Coordinates of all heavy atoms in Angstrom, one line a residue:
M1 N 113.4 22.3 -112.7 CA 114.2 22.5 -113.8 C 115.7 22.1 -113.6 O 116.2 22.4 -112.5 CB 114.2 24.0 -114.2 CG 114.9 24.4 -115.5 SD 114.8 26.1 -115.8 CE 115.7 26.2 -117.3
D2 N 116.3 21.4 -114.5 CA 117.7 21.0 -114.3 C 118.6 22.2 -114.4 O 118.3 23.1 -115.1 CB 118.1 20.0 -115.4 CG 117.4 18.7 -115.2 OD1 116.9 18.4 -114.1 OD2 117.1 18.0 -116.2
K3 N 119.7 22.2 -113.6 CA 120.6 23.3 -113.7 C 121.4 23.2 -115.0 O 121.8 22.1 -115.5 CB 121.6 23.2 -112.5 CG 120.8 23.5 -111.2 CD 121.7 23.7 -110.0 CE 120.9 24.1 -108.8 NZ 121.6 24.1 -107.6
L4 N 121.7 24.4 -115.5 CA 122.4 24.4 -116.8 C 123.9 24.2 -116.4 O 124.4 24.6 -115.4 CB 122.3 25.8 -117.5 CG 120.9 26.1 -118.1 CD1 120.8 27.5 -118.6 CD2 120.6 25.1 -119.2
K5 N 124.6 23.6 -117.4 CA 126.1 23.5 -117.3 C 126.7 24.8 -117.8 O 125.9 25.5 -118.6 CB 126.6 22.3 -118.1 CG 126.1 21.0 -117.5 CD 126.7 19.9 -118.4 CE 126.2 18.6 -117.9 NZ 126.0 17.6 -118.9
M6 N 127.8 25.1 -117.4 CA 128.5 26.4 -117.8 C 128.5 26.6 -119.3 O 128.2 27.7 -119.8 CB 129.9 26.5 -117.3 CG 130.5 27.8 -117.3 SD 129.6 28.9 -116.2 CE 130.6 30.4 -116.4
E7 N 128.8 25.5 -120.1 CA 128.9 25.6 -121.5 C 127.5 25.8 -122.2 O 127.4 26.2 -123.3 CB 129.7 24.5 -122.1 CG 129.1 23.1 -121.9 CD 129.6 22.5 -120.6 OE1 130.1 23.2 -119.7 OE2 129.4 21.3 -120.5
E8 N 126.5 25.6 -121.4 CA 125.1 25.7 -122.0 C 124.5 27.1 -121.8 O 123.5 27.5 -122.3 CB 124.2 24.7 -121.4 CG 124.5 23.2 -121.7 CD 123.7 22.3 -120.8 OE1 123.3 22.6 -119.7 OE2 123.5 21.1 -121.3
M9 N 125.2 27.9 -121.0 CA 124.7 29.3 -120.6 C 124.9 30.2 -121.7 O 126.0 30.2 -122.4 CB 125.3 29.7 -119.3 CG 124.9 28.9 -118.1 SD 125.5 29.6 -116.6 CE 124.9 28.4 -115.5
V10 N 124.0 31.1 -121.9 CA 124.1 32.2 -122.9 C 125.2 33.2 -122.4 O 125.0 33.6 -121.2 CB 122.8 32.8 -123.1 CG1 122.9 34.0 -124.2 CG2 121.7 31.8 -123.6
P11 N 126.1 33.6 -123.3 CA 127.1 34.7 -122.9 C 126.3 35.9 -122.3 O 125.3 36.4 -122.9 CB 127.8 35.0 -124.1 CG 127.7 33.8 -125.0 CD 126.3 33.2 -124.6
G12 N 126.8 36.4 -121.2 CA 126.2 37.6 -120.6 C 125.0 37.2 -119.7 O 124.3 38.1 -119.3
F13 N 124.6 35.9 -119.7 CA 123.4 35.5 -119.0 C 122.2 36.2 -119.5 O 121.3 36.5 -118.7 CB 123.6 35.6 -117.5 CG 124.8 34.8 -117.0 CD1 126.0 35.5 -116.6 CD2 124.8 33.4 -117.0 CE1 127.1 34.7 -116.2 CE2 125.9 32.7 -116.5 CZ 127.0 33.4 -116.2
V14 N 122.2 36.5 -120.8 CA 121.0 37.2 -121.3 C 119.8 36.2 -121.3 O 119.8 35.0 -121.5 CB 121.3 37.5 -122.8 CG1 120.1 38.1 -123.5 CG2 122.4 38.5 -122.9
I15 N 118.6 36.8 -121.0 CA 117.4 36.1 -121.0 C 116.8 36.1 -122.4 O 116.6 37.2 -122.9 CB 116.3 36.6 -120.0 CG1 116.9 36.4 -118.5 CG2 115.0 36.0 -120.1 CD1 116.1 37.1 -117.5
T16 N 116.7 35.0 -123.0 CA 116.3 34.9 -124.5 C 114.8 34.6 -124.7 O 114.4 34.6 -125.8 CB 117.2 33.8 -125.2 OG1 117.0 32.6 -124.6 CG2 118.7 34.2 -125.2
E17 N 114.1 34.3 -123.6 CA 112.8 33.9 -123.7 C 111.9 34.6 -122.7 O 112.2 34.5 -121.5 CB 112.8 32.4 -123.5 CG 111.5 31.6 -123.8 CD 111.6 30.2 -123.3 OE1 112.8 29.7 -123.2 OE2 110.6 29.6 -123.1
P18 N 110.9 35.3 -123.0 CA 110.0 35.9 -122.1 C 109.3 34.9 -121.2 O 108.9 33.9 -121.6 CB 109.0 36.7 -122.9 CG 109.0 36.0 -124.2 CD 110.3 35.4 -124.4
G19 N 109.2 35.3 -119.9 CA 108.5 34.5 -118.9 C 109.2 33.2 -118.5 O 108.7 32.4 -117.8
S20 N 110.6 33.2 -118.8 CA 111.3 32.0 -118.4 C 111.5 31.8 -116.9 O 111.8 30.7 -116.4 CB 112.7 32.0 -119.0 OG 113.4 33.2 -118.7
T21 N 111.4 32.9 -116.1 CA 111.6 32.7 -114.7 C 110.5 31.9 -114.0 O 110.7 31.4 -112.9 CB 111.5 34.1 -114.0 OG1 110.4 34.8 -114.3 CG2 112.8 34.9 -114.3
V22 N 109.4 31.7 -114.7 CA 108.3 30.9 -114.1 C 108.8 29.5 -114.0 O 108.3 28.8 -113.0 CB 107.0 31.0 -115.0 CG1 106.0 29.9 -114.6 CG2 106.4 32.4 -115.0
R23 N 109.7 29.0 -114.8 CA 110.2 27.6 -114.7 C 111.2 27.5 -113.6 O 111.7 26.4 -113.3 CB 110.8 27.2 -116.1 CG 109.7 27.1 -117.2 CD 110.2 26.2 -118.3 NE 111.5 26.6 -118.8 CZ 111.7 27.5 -119.7 NH1 110.7 28.1 -120.3 NH2 112.9 27.8 -120.1
V24 N 111.7 28.6 -113.1 CA 112.8 28.5 -112.1 C 112.2 29.0 -110.7 O 111.8 30.1 -110.5 CB 114.0 29.4 -112.4 CG1 115.1 29.3 -111.5 CG2 114.5 29.1 -113.8
K25 N 112.2 28.0 -109.8 CA 111.7 28.3 -108.4 C 112.8 29.1 -107.7 O 113.9 28.7 -107.5 CB 111.4 27.1 -107.7 CG 110.2 26.4 -108.4 CD 109.7 25.2 -107.6 CE 108.4 24.7 -108.4 NZ 107.9 23.4 -107.8
T26 N 112.5 30.4 -107.4 CA 113.5 31.4 -107.0 C 113.5 31.7 -105.6 O 114.2 32.7 -105.2 CB 113.3 32.7 -107.8 OG1 112.0 33.0 -107.7 CG2 113.6 32.4 -109.4
A27 N 112.8 30.9 -104.7 CA 112.6 31.4 -103.4 C 113.5 30.7 -102.4 O 113.4 30.8 -101.2 CB 111.2 31.1 -103.0
D28 N 114.5 29.9 -102.9 CA 115.4 29.1 -101.9 C 116.0 30.0 -100.9 O 116.2 29.5 -99.7 CB 116.5 28.5 -102.7 CG 116.0 27.5 -103.7 OD1 114.8 27.5 -104.0 OD2 116.8 26.7 -104.1
W29 N 116.4 31.2 -101.2 CA 117.3 32.0 -100.2 C 116.4 32.9 -99.4 O 117.0 33.8 -98.7 CB 118.4 32.7 -100.9 CG 117.9 33.3 -102.2 CD1 117.9 32.8 -103.5 CD2 117.5 34.7 -102.4 NE1 117.4 33.7 -104.4 CE2 117.1 34.9 -103.7 CE3 117.2 35.7 -101.5 CZ2 116.6 36.1 -104.3 CZ3 116.7 36.9 -102.0 CH2 116.4 37.1 -103.3
R30 N 115.1 32.9 -99.4 CA 114.3 33.8 -98.7 C 114.5 33.7 -97.2 O 114.6 32.6 -96.6 CB 112.8 33.5 -99.0 CG 111.8 34.4 -98.4 CD 110.4 34.0 -98.8 NE 110.1 32.7 -98.4 CZ 109.5 31.8 -99.2 NH1 109.2 32.1 -100.4 NH2 109.3 30.6 -98.8
T31 N 114.6 34.8 -96.5 CA 114.8 34.8 -95.0 C 113.4 35.1 -94.3 O 113.2 34.6 -93.3 CB 115.8 35.9 -94.6 OG1 117.0 35.7 -95.3 CG2 116.1 35.8 -93.1
F32 N 112.7 36.0 -94.9 CA 111.3 36.3 -94.4 C 110.3 36.0 -95.4 O 110.6 36.1 -96.6 CB 111.2 37.8 -94.0 CG 112.0 38.2 -92.8 CD1 113.4 38.5 -92.9 CD2 111.5 38.2 -91.5 CE1 114.1 38.9 -91.8 CE2 112.2 38.5 -90.4 CZ 113.5 38.9 -90.5
K33 N 109.1 35.6 -94.9 CA 108.0 35.3 -95.9 C 106.8 36.2 -95.6 O 106.5 36.4 -94.4 CB 107.7 33.9 -96.0 CG 107.1 33.3 -94.7 CD 106.7 31.9 -95.0 CE 105.9 31.3 -93.8 NZ 105.6 29.9 -94.0
P34 N 106.0 36.6 -96.6 CA 104.8 37.4 -96.3 C 103.7 36.4 -95.9 O 103.5 35.4 -96.6 CB 104.6 38.1 -97.6 CG 105.2 37.2 -98.6 CD 106.3 36.5 -98.0
V35 N 102.9 36.8 -94.9 CA 101.7 36.1 -94.6 C 100.5 37.1 -94.7 O 100.6 38.1 -94.0 CB 101.9 35.4 -93.2 CG1 100.5 34.8 -92.7 CG2 103.0 34.4 -93.1
I36 N 99.5 36.7 -95.4 CA 98.3 37.6 -95.5 C 97.3 37.3 -94.4 O 96.9 36.2 -94.2 CB 97.7 37.5 -96.9 CG1 98.7 37.8 -98.0 CG2 96.5 38.4 -97.0 CD1 98.1 37.6 -99.4
H37 N 97.0 38.3 -93.7 CA 95.9 38.2 -92.6 C 94.6 38.6 -93.4 O 94.3 39.8 -93.5 CB 96.3 39.0 -91.5 CG 97.5 38.6 -90.8 ND1 97.5 37.4 -90.0 CD2 98.7 39.1 -90.7 CE1 98.8 37.3 -89.5 NE2 99.5 38.3 -89.9
Y38 N 93.9 37.6 -93.8 CA 92.7 37.9 -94.6 C 91.6 38.7 -94.0 O 90.8 39.3 -94.6 CB 92.2 36.6 -95.2 CG 93.2 36.0 -96.3 CD1 93.9 35.0 -96.0 CD2 93.2 36.7 -97.5 CE1 94.8 34.6 -97.0 CE2 94.1 36.2 -98.5 CZ 94.9 35.1 -98.2 OH 95.7 34.7 -99.2
E39 N 91.6 38.7 -92.7 CA 90.6 39.5 -92.0 C 90.8 41.0 -92.2 O 89.9 41.9 -92.1 CB 90.5 39.2 -90.5 CG 91.7 39.6 -89.6 CD 92.9 38.7 -89.7 OE1 92.8 37.8 -90.5 OE2 93.8 38.9 -89.0
K40 N 92.0 41.4 -92.6 CA 92.4 42.8 -92.8 C 92.4 43.1 -94.3 O 92.5 44.3 -94.8 CB 93.7 43.2 -92.3 CG 93.8 43.2 -90.7 CD 95.2 43.6 -90.4 CE 95.5 43.4 -88.9 NZ 96.9 43.7 -88.6
C41 N 92.4 42.1 -95.2 CA 92.6 42.2 -96.6 C 91.3 42.7 -97.3 O 90.2 42.1 -97.0 CB 93.0 40.9 -97.2 SG 93.2 40.9 -99.0
T42 N 91.4 43.7 -98.1 CA 90.2 44.3 -98.8 C 90.2 43.9 -100.3 O 89.4 44.4 -101.1 CB 90.2 45.7 -98.7 OG1 91.4 46.3 -99.3 CG2 90.1 46.2 -97.3
D43 N 91.1 43.0 -100.7 CA 91.2 42.5 -102.1 C 91.4 43.7 -103.0 O 91.0 43.7 -104.2 CB 90.0 41.7 -102.5 CG 89.9 40.4 -102.0 OD1 91.0 39.7 -101.7 OD2 88.8 39.8 -101.7
C44 N 92.2 44.6 -102.6 CA 92.5 45.8 -103.4 C 93.4 45.6 -104.6 O 93.5 46.4 -105.5 CB 93.0 46.9 -102.6 SG 94.7 46.7 -101.9
A45 N 94.2 44.5 -104.5 CA 95.2 44.1 -105.6 C 96.5 44.9 -105.6 O 97.3 44.7 -106.4 CB 94.5 44.2 -106.9
I46 N 96.7 45.8 -104.6 CA 98.0 46.6 -104.6 C 99.2 45.7 -104.4 O 100.2 45.8 -105.2 CB 97.9 47.7 -103.6 CG1 96.9 48.7 -104.1 CG2 99.2 48.3 -103.3 CD1 96.7 49.9 -103.1
C47 N 99.1 44.7 -103.6 CA 100.2 43.7 -103.5 C 100.5 43.0 -104.8 O 101.7 42.9 -105.2 CB 100.0 42.7 -102.3 SG 98.4 41.8 -102.6
W48 N 99.5 42.6 -105.5 CA 99.7 42.0 -106.8 C 100.4 42.9 -107.8 O 101.2 42.5 -108.6 CB 98.4 41.5 -107.3 CG 98.3 40.8 -108.6 CD1 98.6 39.5 -108.9 CD2 97.9 41.5 -109.8 NE1 98.5 39.3 -110.2 CE2 98.0 40.4 -110.8 CE3 97.5 42.7 -110.2 CZ2 97.8 40.7 -112.1 CZ3 97.1 43.0 -111.5 CH2 97.3 41.9 -112.4
V49 N 100.0 44.1 -107.8 CA 100.5 45.1 -108.7 C 102.0 45.4 -108.4 O 102.8 45.4 -109.4 CB 99.7 46.5 -108.6 CG1 100.5 47.6 -109.4 CG2 98.3 46.3 -109.1
F50 N 102.3 45.5 -107.1 CA 103.8 45.8 -106.8 C 104.7 44.7 -106.7 O 105.9 44.9 -106.8 CB 103.8 46.6 -105.5 CG 103.4 48.1 -105.6 CD1 102.1 48.5 -105.6 CD2 104.4 49.0 -105.8 CE1 101.8 49.9 -105.8 CE2 104.1 50.4 -106.0 CZ 102.8 50.8 -106.0
C51 N 104.2 43.5 -106.6 CA 105.2 42.3 -106.4 C 106.0 42.3 -107.7 O 105.5 42.2 -108.8 CB 104.4 41.1 -106.2 SG 105.5 39.6 -106.1
P52 N 107.4 42.2 -107.5 CA 108.3 42.2 -108.6 C 108.5 40.8 -109.2 O 109.2 40.6 -110.2 CB 109.6 42.7 -108.1 CG 109.5 42.4 -106.6 CD 108.1 42.4 -106.2
E53 N 107.8 39.8 -108.6 CA 107.9 38.4 -109.0 C 106.6 37.9 -109.4 O 105.6 38.5 -109.1 CB 108.5 37.5 -107.9 CG 109.8 38.0 -107.3 CD 111.0 37.9 -108.4 OE1 110.9 36.9 -109.2 OE2 111.9 38.7 -108.4
P54 N 106.6 36.8 -110.0 CA 105.2 36.2 -110.3 C 104.8 35.4 -109.0 O 104.5 34.1 -109.0 CB 105.4 35.2 -111.5 CG 106.9 34.7 -111.3 CD 107.6 35.9 -110.7
A55 N 104.8 36.1 -107.9 CA 104.6 35.5 -106.6 C 103.2 35.6 -105.9 O 103.0 35.0 -104.9 CB 105.7 35.8 -105.6
I56 N 102.4 36.5 -106.5 CA 101.1 36.7 -105.9 C 100.1 36.3 -107.0 O 100.0 36.8 -108.1 CB 100.8 38.1 -105.5 CG1 101.9 38.4 -104.3 CG2 99.4 38.2 -105.0 CD1 101.7 39.8 -103.7
E57 N 99.3 35.3 -106.6 CA 98.3 34.7 -107.6 C 96.9 35.2 -107.2 O 96.7 35.5 -106.1 CB 98.4 33.2 -107.6 CG 99.8 32.7 -108.1 CD 100.0 31.2 -108.0 OE1 99.1 30.5 -107.4 OE2 101.0 30.8 -108.5
V58 N 96.1 35.2 -108.2 CA 94.7 35.6 -108.0 C 93.8 34.5 -108.1 O 93.8 33.7 -109.1 CB 94.3 36.7 -109.1 CG1 92.9 37.3 -108.8 CG2 95.3 37.8 -109.2
R59 N 93.0 34.3 -107.1 CA 92.0 33.2 -107.1 C 90.7 33.8 -107.7 O 90.3 34.8 -107.2 CB 91.8 32.6 -105.8 CG 92.9 31.8 -105.2 CD 92.6 31.3 -103.8 NE 91.4 30.3 -104.0 CZ 90.8 29.8 -102.9 NH1 91.3 30.0 -101.7 NH2 89.8 28.9 -103.1
T60 N 90.1 33.1 -108.6 CA 88.8 33.6 -109.2 C 87.6 32.8 -108.6 O 86.5 33.2 -108.9 CB 88.8 33.4 -110.7 OG1 89.1 32.1 -111.0 CG2 89.9 34.4 -111.3
D61 N 87.9 31.8 -107.8 CA 86.8 31.0 -107.3 C 86.3 31.4 -105.9 O 85.6 30.6 -105.3 CB 87.3 29.5 -107.3 CG 88.5 29.3 -106.3 OD1 89.3 30.2 -106.2 OD2 88.6 28.2 -105.8
V62 N 86.8 32.5 -105.4 CA 86.3 32.9 -104.1 C 85.8 34.4 -104.1 O 86.3 35.2 -105.0 CB 87.5 32.8 -103.0 CG1 87.9 31.5 -102.8 CG2 88.7 33.7 -103.5
E63 N 85.1 34.8 -103.2 CA 84.5 36.1 -103.1 C 85.5 37.0 -102.4 O 85.6 38.2 -102.8 CB 83.2 36.1 -102.3 CG 82.0 35.6 -103.1 CD 81.6 36.6 -104.2 OE1 81.5 37.8 -103.9 OE2 81.4 36.2 -105.3
K64 N 86.2 36.5 -101.5 CA 87.1 37.3 -100.7 C 88.4 36.5 -100.4 O 88.3 35.3 -100.4 CB 86.4 37.7 -99.3 CG 87.3 38.6 -98.4 CD 86.4 39.3 -97.4 CE 87.3 40.1 -96.4 NZ 88.5 40.6 -96.8
G65 N 89.5 37.2 -100.2 CA 90.8 36.5 -100.1 C 91.3 36.0 -101.4 O 91.7 34.9 -101.5
K66 N 91.2 36.8 -102.4 CA 91.6 36.4 -103.8 C 93.1 36.4 -104.0 O 93.5 35.7 -104.9 CB 91.0 37.4 -104.8 CG 89.5 37.3 -104.9 CD 89.0 38.2 -106.0 CE 87.5 38.1 -106.0 NZ 86.8 39.3 -106.4
Y67 N 93.8 37.1 -103.2 CA 95.3 37.2 -103.5 C 96.1 36.2 -102.5 O 95.9 36.2 -101.3 CB 95.8 38.6 -103.3 CG 95.1 39.4 -104.3 CD1 93.8 40.0 -104.1 CD2 95.6 39.5 -105.6 CE1 93.1 40.7 -105.1 CE2 94.9 40.2 -106.6 CZ 93.7 40.8 -106.3 OH 93.0 41.4 -107.3
V68 N 96.9 35.4 -103.2 CA 97.5 34.3 -102.5 C 99.0 34.3 -102.9 O 99.4 34.5 -104.0 CB 96.9 32.9 -102.9 CG1 97.6 31.7 -102.2 CG2 95.4 32.9 -102.7
I69 N 99.8 34.1 -101.8 CA 101.3 34.1 -102.0 C 101.7 32.7 -102.6 O 101.3 31.7 -102.0 CB 102.1 34.4 -100.8 CG1 101.6 35.6 -100.0 CG2 103.6 34.4 -101.1 CD1 101.8 36.9 -100.7
N70 N 102.4 32.7 -103.7 CA 103.0 31.5 -104.2 C 104.5 31.5 -103.7 O 105.4 32.1 -104.2 CB 103.0 31.4 -105.7 CG 103.6 30.1 -106.2 OD1 104.4 29.5 -105.6 ND2 103.0 29.7 -107.3
Y71 N 104.8 30.6 -102.6 CA 106.1 30.7 -102.0 C 107.2 30.0 -102.8 O 108.3 30.1 -102.5 CB 105.9 30.0 -100.6 CG 105.1 30.8 -99.7 CD1 103.8 30.3 -99.3 CD2 105.6 32.0 -99.1 CE1 103.0 31.0 -98.4 CE2 104.8 32.7 -98.3 CZ 103.5 32.2 -97.9 OH 102.8 33.0 -97.1
D72 N 106.8 29.4 -104.0 CA 107.9 29.0 -104.9 C 108.7 30.1 -105.5 O 109.8 29.9 -105.9 CB 107.3 28.1 -106.0 CG 106.9 26.7 -105.5 OD1 107.4 26.3 -104.4 OD2 106.1 26.0 -106.2
Y73 N 108.0 31.2 -105.7 CA 108.6 32.4 -106.4 C 108.9 33.6 -105.5 O 109.5 34.5 -105.9 CB 107.7 32.8 -107.5 CG 107.5 31.6 -108.5 CD1 106.2 31.0 -108.6 CD2 108.6 31.0 -109.1 CE1 106.1 29.9 -109.4 CE2 108.3 29.9 -109.9 CZ 107.1 29.3 -110.1 OH 106.9 28.3 -110.8
C74 N 108.2 33.6 -104.3 CA 108.4 34.8 -103.4 C 109.8 34.8 -102.9 O 110.3 33.9 -102.2 CB 107.4 34.7 -102.3 SG 107.6 35.9 -101.0
K75 N 110.5 36.0 -103.1 CA 111.8 36.1 -102.6 C 111.9 36.8 -101.2 O 113.0 37.0 -100.7 CB 112.6 37.0 -103.5 CG 113.0 36.3 -104.8 CD 113.7 37.1 -105.8 CE 114.0 36.3 -107.1 NZ 114.6 37.2 -108.1
G76 N 110.7 37.2 -100.7 CA 110.7 37.7 -99.3 C 111.2 39.2 -99.3 O 111.7 39.7 -98.3
C77 N 111.0 39.9 -100.4 CA 111.5 41.3 -100.5 C 110.7 42.2 -99.6 O 111.3 43.3 -99.2 CB 111.5 41.8 -101.9 SG 109.8 42.0 -102.6
G78 N 109.5 41.9 -99.3 CA 108.7 42.7 -98.4 C 108.0 43.9 -99.0 O 107.3 44.7 -98.4
V79 N 108.1 44.1 -100.4 CA 107.4 45.1 -101.0 C 105.9 45.1 -100.9 O 105.3 46.1 -100.6 CB 107.8 45.1 -102.6 CG1 106.8 46.1 -103.3 CG2 109.2 45.5 -102.8
C80 N 105.3 43.9 -100.9 CA 103.9 43.7 -100.8 C 103.5 44.2 -99.4 O 102.4 45.0 -99.2 CB 103.5 42.3 -101.0 SG 104.4 41.1 -99.9
A81 N 104.2 43.8 -98.3 CA 103.9 44.3 -97.0 C 104.0 45.8 -96.8 O 103.2 46.4 -96.2 CB 104.7 43.5 -96.0
H82 N 105.0 46.3 -97.5 CA 105.2 47.7 -97.4 C 104.1 48.5 -98.0 O 103.6 49.6 -97.6 CB 106.5 48.1 -98.0 CG 106.9 49.6 -97.9 ND1 106.6 50.5 -98.8 CD2 107.5 50.2 -96.9 CE1 107.0 51.7 -98.4 NE2 107.6 51.6 -97.2
E83 N 103.6 48.0 -99.2 CA 102.6 48.7 -100.0 C 101.1 48.5 -99.5 O 100.3 49.3 -99.9 CB 102.7 48.4 -101.5 CG 104.1 48.8 -102.0 CD 104.3 50.3 -102.0 OE1 103.3 51.1 -102.0 OE2 105.5 50.7 -101.9
C84 N 100.9 47.4 -98.8 CA 99.5 47.1 -98.5 C 98.9 48.2 -97.6 O 99.4 48.5 -96.6 CB 99.5 45.8 -97.7 SG 97.8 45.4 -97.1
P85 N 97.8 48.8 -98.1 CA 97.2 49.9 -97.4 C 96.6 49.6 -96.0 O 96.4 50.5 -95.2 CB 96.2 50.5 -98.4 CG 95.9 49.3 -99.2 CD 97.1 48.5 -99.3
T86 N 96.2 48.3 -95.8 CA 95.6 47.9 -94.6 C 96.5 47.2 -93.6 O 96.1 46.7 -92.6 CB 94.3 47.1 -94.9 OG1 94.8 45.8 -95.5 CG2 93.3 47.8 -95.7
K87 N 97.8 47.1 -94.1 CA 98.8 46.3 -93.2 C 98.3 44.9 -93.0 O 98.5 44.4 -91.9 CB 99.1 47.0 -92.0 CG 99.6 48.4 -92.1 CD 101.0 48.4 -92.8 CE 101.4 49.8 -93.2 NZ 102.3 49.8 -94.5
A88 N 97.8 44.3 -94.0 CA 97.3 42.9 -93.9 C 98.4 41.9 -94.1 O 98.2 40.7 -93.8 CB 96.2 42.7 -94.9
I89 N 99.6 42.4 -94.6 CA 100.6 41.4 -94.9 C 101.8 41.6 -93.8 O 102.2 42.6 -93.6 CB 101.2 41.6 -96.2 CG1 100.1 41.5 -97.3 CG2 102.3 40.6 -96.5 CD1 100.6 41.8 -98.7
E90 N 102.1 40.5 -93.1 CA 103.1 40.5 -92.1 C 104.3 39.6 -92.7 O 104.1 38.5 -93.3 CB 102.6 39.8 -90.9 CG 103.6 39.7 -89.7 CD 103.0 38.9 -88.5 OE1 101.9 38.3 -88.6 OE2 103.7 38.9 -87.5
M91 N 105.5 40.2 -92.5 CA 106.7 39.4 -92.9 C 107.1 38.6 -91.6 O 107.4 39.2 -90.6 CB 107.8 40.4 -93.3 CG 107.4 41.3 -94.5 SD 107.0 40.3 -96.0 CE 108.5 39.5 -96.4
V92 N 107.2 37.3 -91.8 CA 107.6 36.5 -90.7 C 108.8 35.7 -91.1 O 109.0 35.4 -92.3 CB 106.5 35.5 -90.3 CG1 105.2 36.3 -89.8 CG2 106.1 34.6 -91.4
R93 N 109.7 35.4 -90.1 CA 111.0 34.7 -90.4 C 110.7 33.3 -90.8 O 109.8 32.6 -90.3 CB 111.8 34.8 -89.1 CG 113.2 34.3 -89.4 CD 114.2 34.9 -88.3 NE 115.5 34.6 -88.8 CZ 116.3 35.5 -89.3 NH1 116.0 36.7 -89.4 NH2 117.5 35.1 -89.7
E94 N 111.5 32.9 -91.8 CA 111.4 31.5 -92.3 C 112.0 30.6 -91.3 O 112.9 31.0 -90.6 CB 112.2 31.4 -93.6 CG 111.5 31.9 -94.8 CD 110.4 30.9 -95.3 OE1 110.3 29.8 -94.7 OE2 109.7 31.2 -96.2
R95 N 111.5 29.4 -91.2 CA 112.1 28.4 -90.3 C 112.6 27.3 -91.1 O 112.2 26.9 -92.1 CB 111.0 27.9 -89.3 CG 110.6 28.9 -88.4 CD 109.7 28.4 -87.4 NE 109.3 29.4 -86.4 CZ 109.9 29.6 -85.3 NH1 110.9 28.8 -84.9 NH2 109.5 30.5 -84.5
Ligands
SF4_101 S1 97.5 44.9 -100.8 FE1 96.8 44.2 -98.8 S2 94.6 44.6 -98.7 FE2 95.3 44.8 -100.9 S3 94.9 42.7 -101.7 FE3 97.0 42.7 -101.0 S4 96.9 41.9 -98.9 FE4 94.8 42.5 -99.5
SF4_102 S1 107.7 39.5 -100.4 FE1 108.2 40.4 -102.4 S2 108.3 38.6 -103.8 FE2 107.2 38.0 -102.0 S3 105.1 38.3 -102.5 FE3 105.8 40.1 -101.4 S4 106.4 41.5 -103.0 FE4 106.2 39.5 -104.0

């Protein structure tokens, strides 16, 4: 998505359209990224529920390992790793 010029921005930076963040890749400044260790994952969906971004996607074409991180939107907040009941998500430093 092209960057907006100052005069094109809405006063107060109000979001006028639902779902608009999907068009903006928001992960540029991430320091740590979550990595799912699928041998520990039970597909419980808790990471998907708690992720504050549209960063965990659900695959419907597999039996196991349905939850996948979309690194275009993951900000590396670590909420998923904190909430995962089996500690299947490890936060690793970006390179
Ligand atoms: S919270 Fe953990 S165990 Fe549950 S789906 Fe996510 S990675 Fe897998
Ligand atoms: S680190 Fe944060 S933004 Fe990234 S997938 Fe986990 S909960 Fe979502």
Side-chain angles (χ1 to χ4, degrees):
M1 180 180 182
D2 294 333
K3 290 189 176 169
L4 291 175
K5 294 180 182 149
M6 194 63 179
E7 59 272 18
E8 296 171 333
M9 292 184 180
V10 178
F13 303 105
V14 173
I15 294 171
T16 57
E17 190 185 336
S20 60
T21 53
V22 170
R23 293 199 310 270
V24 182
K25 294 183 178 176
T26 52
D28 295 16
W29 44 270
R30 183 179 59 228
T31 307
F32 288 88
K33 69 176 183 181
V35 173
I36 301 176
H37 296 288
Y38 287 105
E39 70 279 7
K40 294 184 189 171
C41 174
T42 58
D43 285 330
C44 69
I46 288 177
C47 55
W48 178 77
V49 170
F50 277 88
C51 176
E53 302 295 326
I56 299 183
E57 297 176 349
V58 186
R59 291 184 60 185
T60 55
D61 60 330
V62 291
E63 281 292 310
K64 186 162 170 27
K66 292 182 178 148
Y67 297 90
V68 180
I69 310 291
N70 184 329
Y71 292 110
D72 284 342
Y73 304 111
C74 169
K75 291 178 177 172
C77 67
V79 168
C80 55
H82 185 266
E83 298 298 331
C84 175
T86 63
K87 301 298 172 208
I89 303 177
E90 178 185 8
M91 298 301 293
V92 301
R93 191 155 188 107
E94 281 283 358
R95 294 185 176 265

